[in-house]
């Protein structure tokens, strides 16, 4: 078992804290610039970072122009570099700094990687812009002009070239590559091949003057390069102090991970500053494993990949203390926290479900659907999807044959909600009391309940679930319709469905890849947008306030449900979190627990409708571990046989589905041992 401090340290879970620094500079004053660099490097180390990137030509300033051909400046830049190298001996992170460097009678625009009091390697700029306001070829030579792969500097031989990768040997998933400014603006950046060669973190030392609209384009450029390369991308640029003779500078720093923005600097600041982000190195590695075309690209570009040399060095990682994540981990990974993105997500999910059902009805030349409406969450959302599909097909909503089927434990609340829902949607509503047929089945089975005994076992429950589905299928036969399934992704993951002729089965299931937490948000979204009118919105909000229960066991005199689903299988908000990170990324349970703890300890990580007036659950590590154990056993050991033969259903999100024809193929007789064993790495 990990110690508590080790478990709570981000480096124990294959994260790396990285920094992008924007120092203020003085033109042609390398000593001042070196001092600023060292000061920011020390700040980065104090924050637990292991990598810090500084701007292009940061030790000299970018806007020196023909001063770059003055020996006094070049000598001073090398002296400043020596100062930074010396300071790095007492720092436990790698630095990447920019300066002009003389090599074999040529001058190169270089990035120097420094760690542990020595230069680990030097990378010259590949592409020199010589258009618009740029005239770099007047002073510098491109990397391809270099006649050597090593340079002598400060009495040591140092690797020199664009084919260098740098690996932190005691954090092996941290392998980084450096390119400079224009290199990422070309059709095939050098970092593309570096990523194929194994670099998980790509670093760009840039100067990049600012003009209107350029900041947004940098975002696009860096986001796309990080996404295409399945990597993190660190981008730093020059800020305060560069010459304003003809240009302006905004000091924009960016950190992206696989297309997602993790951190961005404030632009146009007067003081030196640094941004930080915790990069999930394992996530990047697993994405490359999963996306097999990445490996195909490695093979196709084998010649370019083969030219890279890996330089390894150790860093003193800050492992002796708790170091929580500095990035926000959303409690509801299927639901964006940002209101604008959340509305977009809800709209898209809803339309995916509707379009899929429209296609199925059109292809089968069937114009009617049969659906069971319980007054609970899942069937409510499925009914809304059916209503929209009928609208899209220009068919009357009366073609939705909706049935509520009260059983032995149906509450007055859910029965009323079912009746109201069918009315506000405009479906053809009917009510079938399944108790007589269930009693006949129980009598045929010789079940004690048929003789008046209160034996509420699994058979008693499944007889009711089976009778409902049996009625729906026969009603579909009789009316030339198809049965719409309502069960969701969360229930499939946990096996919380009656196999075969039960809520497990339908002709087409619109909810099968939508998790419970997302369905909850979708229903709230429909209610708050007023899509089905004020009365309908009130009904939907009542559904959302209803305890989740199968209502198969009669309750006590209190009127409350005897069965509360989450008392058995755990809170859906936790189990959906577990599902996302285990299904989507295959993370070890201990890492999932670390992420869950990070999410529920971070008050900013809550999602809509979590505002100042709403207090959501807070889970400690013990609760997270306990519920994760429930999830692992049910997901890996007991439930796969139900997923191996599920009905057709549309995949909705990149978080995955559990269709055996799509995202998830697994044996029905697997053990959960290795996952449960990993729980021992969680303290407490």
């Amino acid at each position: 078992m990990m110690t508590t401090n080790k478990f709570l340290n981000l480096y124990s879970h294959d994260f790396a804290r990285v920094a992008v620094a924007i120092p203020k500079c003085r033109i042609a004053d390398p000593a001042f610039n070196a001092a600023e660099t060292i000061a920011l490097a020390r700040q980065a180390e104090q924050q637990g970072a292991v990598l810090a990137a500084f701007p292009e030509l940061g030790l000299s300033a970018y806007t020196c122009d023909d001063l770059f051909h003055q020996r006094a400046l070049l000598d001073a830049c090398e002296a400043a570099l020596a100062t930074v190298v010396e300071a790095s001996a007492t720092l436990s992170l790698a630095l990447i700094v920019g300066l002009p460097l003389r090599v074999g009678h040529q001058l190169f625009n270089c990035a120097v990687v420094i760690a542990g009091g020595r230069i680990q390697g030097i990378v010259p700029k590949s592409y020199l812009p010589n258009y618009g306001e740029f005239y770099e070829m007047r002073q510098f030579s491109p990397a391809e002009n270099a006649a050597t792969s090593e340079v002598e500097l400060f009495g040591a031989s140092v690797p020199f070239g664009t084919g260098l990768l740098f690996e932190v040997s005691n954090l092996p998933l941290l392998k980084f590559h450096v390119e400079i400014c224009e290199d990422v603006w070309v059709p095939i950046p050098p970092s593309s091949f570096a990523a194929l060669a194994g670099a998980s973190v790509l670093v760009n030392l840039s100067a990049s003057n600012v003009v209107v609209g350029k900041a947004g384009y940098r975002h696009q450029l860096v986001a796309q390069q990080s996404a295409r390369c399945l990597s993190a991308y660190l981008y730093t640029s020059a800020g305060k102090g560069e010459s304003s003779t003809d240009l302006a500078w905004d000091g924009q720093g960016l950190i992206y991970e696989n297309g997602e923005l993790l951190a961005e600097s404030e632009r146009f600041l007067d003081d030196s500053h640094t941004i930080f982000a915790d990069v999930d190195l394992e996530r990047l590695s697993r994405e490359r494993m999963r996306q097999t075309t990445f490996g195909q690209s490695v093979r196709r570009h084998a010649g370019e990949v083969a030219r890279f040399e890996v330089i390894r060095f150790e860093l003193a990682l800050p492992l002796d203390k708790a170091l929580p994540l500095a990035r926000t981990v959303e409690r509801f990974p299927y639901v964006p926290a940002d209101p604008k993105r959340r509305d977009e997500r809800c709209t898209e999910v809803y339309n995916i479900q509707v379009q899929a059902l429209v296609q199925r009805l059109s292809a089968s030349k069937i114009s009617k659907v049969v659906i069971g409406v319980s007054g609970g969450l899942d069937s409510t959302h499925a009914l809304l999807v059916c209503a929209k599909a009928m609208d899209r097909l220009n068919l009357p909503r009366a073609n939705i044959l909706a049935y509520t089927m009260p059983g032995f434990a149906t509450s007055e609340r859910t029965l009323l909600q079912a009746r109201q829902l069918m009315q506000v949607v405009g479906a053809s509503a009917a009510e079938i009391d399944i108790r007589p047929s269930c009693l006949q089945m129980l009598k045929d089975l010789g079940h004690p309940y048929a003789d008046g005994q209160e034996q509420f076992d699994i058979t008693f429950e499944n007889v009711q679930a089976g009778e409902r589905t049996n009625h729906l299928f026969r009603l579909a036969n009789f009316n030339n319709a198809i049965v719409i399934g309502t069960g969701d992704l969360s229930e499939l993951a946990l096996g919380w469905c009656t196999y075969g002729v039960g809520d497990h089965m339908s002709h087409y299931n619109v909810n099968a890849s939508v998790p419970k937490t997302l369905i909850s948000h979708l229903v709230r979204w429909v209610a708050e947008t007023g899509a089905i009118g004020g009365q309908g919105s009130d009904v939907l909000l009542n559904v959302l306030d209803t305890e989740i229960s199968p209502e198969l066991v009669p309750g006590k005199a209190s009127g409350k449900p005897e069965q509360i689903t989450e008392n058995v299988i755990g809170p859906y908000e936790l189990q959906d979190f577990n599902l996302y990170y285990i299904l989507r990324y295959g993370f070890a349970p201990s890492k999932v627990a670390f992420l869950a703890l990070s999410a529920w300890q971070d008050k900013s990580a809550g999602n809509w409708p979590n505002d100042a007036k709403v207090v959501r659950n807070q889970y400690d590590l013990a609760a997270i571990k306990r519920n994760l154990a429930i999830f692992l056993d049910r997901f890996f050991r007991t439930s796969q046989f139900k997923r191996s033969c599920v009905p057709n259903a549309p995949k909705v999100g990149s978080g995955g589905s559990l269709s055996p024809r799509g995202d998830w193929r697994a044996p029905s007789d697997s053990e959960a041992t290795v996952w449960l064993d990993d729980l021992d790495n969680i303290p407490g």
Side-chain angles (χ1 to χ4, degrees), residues 517-559:
T517 50
L518 180 53
I519 285 181
S520 175
H521 283 77
L522 285 162
V523 171
R524 188 177 298 276
W525 172 74
V526 173
E528 295 192 354
T529 56
I532 58 172
Q535 182 184 357
S537 293
D538 290 341
V539 177
L540 297 182
L541 293 174
N542 287 336
V543 170
L544 286 165
D545 288 338
T546 305
E547 289 273 16
I548 299 174
S549 170
E551 293 193 327
L552 295 172
V553 174
K556 296 183 172 61
S558 66

Side-chain angles (χ1 to χ4, degrees), residues 84-348:
V84 176
V85 172
E86 182 181 1
S88 76
T90 61
L91 297 173
S92 56
L93 78 167
L95 310 175
I96 311 170
V97 300
L99 79 161
L101 198 61
R102 294 164 287 189
V103 179
H105 311 297
Q106 298 184 82
L107 187 65
F108 293 91
N109 179 344
C110 294
V112 180
V113 177
I114 305 165
R118 59 176 293 185
I119 297 174
Q120 302 294 335
I122 301 172
V123 180
K125 188 171 183 177
S126 294
Y127 294 93
L128 303 181
N130 223 54
Y131 56 87
E133 62 265 46
F134 304 110
Y135 296 94
E136 287 189 31
M137 293 185 73
R138 179 181 175 93
Q139 291 94 24
F140 297 104
S141 293
E144 63 185 2
N145 284 15
T148 181
S149 60
E150 290 187 343
V151 297
E152 290 293 322
L153 199 57
F154 310 144
S157 181
V158 179
F160 178 86
T162 58
L164 302 180
L165 301 181
F166 302 89
E167 180 182 300
V168 179
S169 54
N170 52 335
L171 189 61
L173 290 181
L174 177 54
K175 184 181 291 185
F176 63 91
H177 170 265
V178 186
E179 60 190 4
I180 303 174
C181 200
E182 186 78 8
D183 292 348
V184 77
W185 295 70
V186 300
I188 305 178
S191 56
S192 296
F193 297 119
L196 296 179
S200 56
V201 175
L202 311 176
V203 183
N204 188 300
L205 273 56
S206 179
S208 193
N209 66 299
V210 63
V211 293
V212 173
K214 194 171 185 180
Y217 188 75
R218 290 190 198 117
H219 270 288
Q220 295 176 31
L221 200 64
V222 174
Q224 284 299 311
Q225 185 66 356
S226 72
R228 281 194 302 269
C229 293
L230 300 175
S231 69
Y233 201 100
L234 282 57
Y235 179 91
T236 180
S237 60
K240 176 70 173 180
E242 290 286 359
S243 174
S244 61
T245 300
D246 291 300
L247 304 173
W249 311 85
D250 62 342
Q252 185 176 27
L254 302 169
I255 303 176
Y256 273 85
E257 176 186 295
N258 193 20
E260 297 177 14
L261 178 65
L262 298 185
E264 178 181 10
S265 66
E266 184 177 348
R267 298 162 60 210
F268 302 107
L269 291 182
D270 289 334
D271 294 325
S272 300
H273 56 284
T274 307
I275 59 171
F276 299 89
D278 296 339
V279 172
D280 191 341
L281 300 172
E282 183 187 7
R283 177 195 178 197
L284 297 172
S285 176
R286 292 198 167 275
E287 286 293 84
R288 292 178 178 187
M289 290 168 56
R290 188 179 72 91
Q291 192 168 313
T292 54
T293 49
F294 187 89
Q296 293 176 29
S297 296
V298 173
R299 185 176 67 249
R300 177 161 294 186
H301 300 286
E304 287 285 347
V305 169
R307 72 180 183 85
F308 283 91
E309 171 190 358
V310 179
I311 298 169
R312 294 179 176 86
F313 55 88
E314 282 197 10
L315 293 173
L317 301 177
L319 293 171
D320 58 344
K321 60 182 179 181
L323 190 62
L325 278 180
R327 68 192 264 167
T328 296
V329 179
E330 293 189 3
R331 295 173 182 174
F332 303 96
Y334 292 101
V335 187
D338 176 70
K340 184 176 184 296
R341 289 184 57 226
R342 185 174 57 242
D343 288 346
E344 292 171 353
R345 178 72 55 83
C346 289
T347 301
E348 190 164 28

Side-chain angles (χ1 to χ4, degrees), residues 347-378:
T347 301
E348 190 164 28
V349 169
Y350 193 42
N351 280 306
I352 289 171
Q353 293 178 275
V354 169
Q355 189 278 335
L357 180 56
V358 166
Q359 170 61 23
R360 178 51 56 99
L361 291 171
S362 299
S364 60
K365 294 181 171 51
I366 290 176
S367 60
K368 295 181 181 179
V369 298
V370 166
I371 183 171
V373 181
S374 68
L377 195 61
D378 292 342

Side-chain angles (χ1 to χ4, degrees), residues 331-336 345 349 353 377-378 381 486-494 509-523 548 572-580 583 631 650-658:
R331 295 173 182 174
F332 303 96
Y334 292 101
V335 187
R345 178 72 55 83
V349 169
Q353 293 178 275
L377 195 61
D378 292 342
H381 181 59
T486 63
D488 62 48
L489 182 69
S490 309
E491 294 176 342
L492 280 174
L494 293 158
N509 186 351
V510 294
N511 285 345
S513 69
V514 188
K516 187 79 74 177
T517 50
L518 180 53
I519 285 181
S520 175
H521 283 77
L522 285 162
V523 171
I548 299 174
Y572 275 116
E573 57 190 10
L574 264 187
Q575 303 300 32
D576 280 0
F577 186 96
N578 296 333
L579 173 63
Y580 180 82
L583 176 62
F631 177 88
K651 178 179 176 179
V652 167
S654 61
S657 76
L658 289 171

Side-chain angles (χ1 to χ4, degrees), residues 377-663:
L377 195 61
D378 292 342
S379 63
T380 293
H381 181 59
L383 181 61
L384 295 173
V385 171
C386 290
K388 196 68 174 178
M390 290 301 165
D391 295 346
R392 286 270 304 275
L393 288 165
N394 295 316
L395 293 171
R397 289 188 178 183
N399 282 19
I400 304 170
L401 310 181
Y403 297 87
T404 187
M405 293 175 281
F408 298 118
T410 300
S411 67
E412 286 298 320
R413 174 174 183 150
T414 55
L415 184 57
L416 176 61
Q417 287 170 180
R419 291 166 177 164
Q420 291 173 331
L421 277 167
M422 293 185 292
Q423 179 183 357
V424 297
V425 165
S428 295
E431 197 167 308
I432 298 174
D433 186 345
I434 62 167
R435 286 172 293 184
S437 58
C438 287
L439 277 173
Q440 182 62 49
M441 174 71 76
L442 291 167
K443 182 179 179 180
D444 293 343
L445 294 173
H447 192 279
Y449 185 83
D451 295 327
Q453 299 180 42
E454 292 190 351
Q455 181 170 317
F456 304 132
D457 53 14
I458 191 68
T459 303
F460 176 82
E461 294 184 44
N462 284 349
V463 161
Q464 295 173 78
E467 278 301 298
R468 287 188 174 117
T469 306
N470 187 30
H471 275 79
L472 294 175
F473 270 98
R474 303 295 75 80
L475 286 163
N477 293 157
F478 188 63
N479 291 283
N480 191 31
I482 64 171
V483 176
I484 301 302
T486 63
D488 62 48
L489 182 69
S490 309
E491 294 176 342
L492 280 174
L494 293 158
W496 194 250
C497 51
T498 302
Y499 183 76
V501 184
D503 54 342
H504 166 265
M505 190 49 61
S506 64
H507 287 120
Y508 195 72
N509 186 351
V510 294
N511 285 345
S513 69
V514 188
K516 187 79 74 177
T517 50
L518 180 53
I519 285 181
S520 175
H521 283 77
L522 285 162
V523 171
R524 188 177 298 276
W525 172 74
V526 173
E528 295 192 354
T529 56
I532 58 172
Q535 182 184 357
S537 293
D538 290 341
V539 177
L540 297 182
L541 293 174
N542 287 336
V543 170
L544 286 165
D545 288 338
T546 305
E547 289 273 16
I548 299 174
S549 170
E551 293 193 327
L552 295 172
V553 174
K556 296 183 172 61
S558 66
K560 293 183 178 179
E562 181 71 15
Q563 297 171 293
I564 304 297
T565 298
E566 292 176 301
N567 290 347
V568 179
I569 61 174
Y572 275 116
E573 57 190 10
L574 264 187
Q575 303 300 32
D576 280 0
F577 186 96
N578 296 333
L579 173 63
Y580 180 82
Y581 284 103
I582 286 174
L583 176 62
R584 179 66 178 83
Y585 297 114
F587 287 162
S590 54
K591 180 167 182 174
V592 176
F594 174 72
L595 291 169
L597 186 64
S598 300
W600 262 271
Q601 285 187 340
D602 182 359
K603 294 181 181 179
S604 69
N607 295 65
W608 175 69
N610 187 30
D611 57 25
K613 298 179 181 178
V614 180
V615 179
R616 297 201 65 85
N617 295 326
Q618 300 292 320
Y619 300 105
D620 60 16
L621 190 56
I624 289 168
K625 183 176 181 179
R626 180 175 64 253
N627 286 291
L628 183 53
I630 294 171
F631 177 88
L632 296 172
D633 186 58
R634 294 187 71 100
F635 184 80
F636 287 106
R637 187 179 67 84
T638 68
S639 303
Q640 180 57 36
F641 77 98
K642 296 182 180 181
R643 300 190 288 261
S644 294
C645 54
V646 292
N648 290 179
K651 178 179 176 179
V652 167
S654 61
S657 76
L658 289 171
S659 168
R661 300 169 295 275
D663 279 9

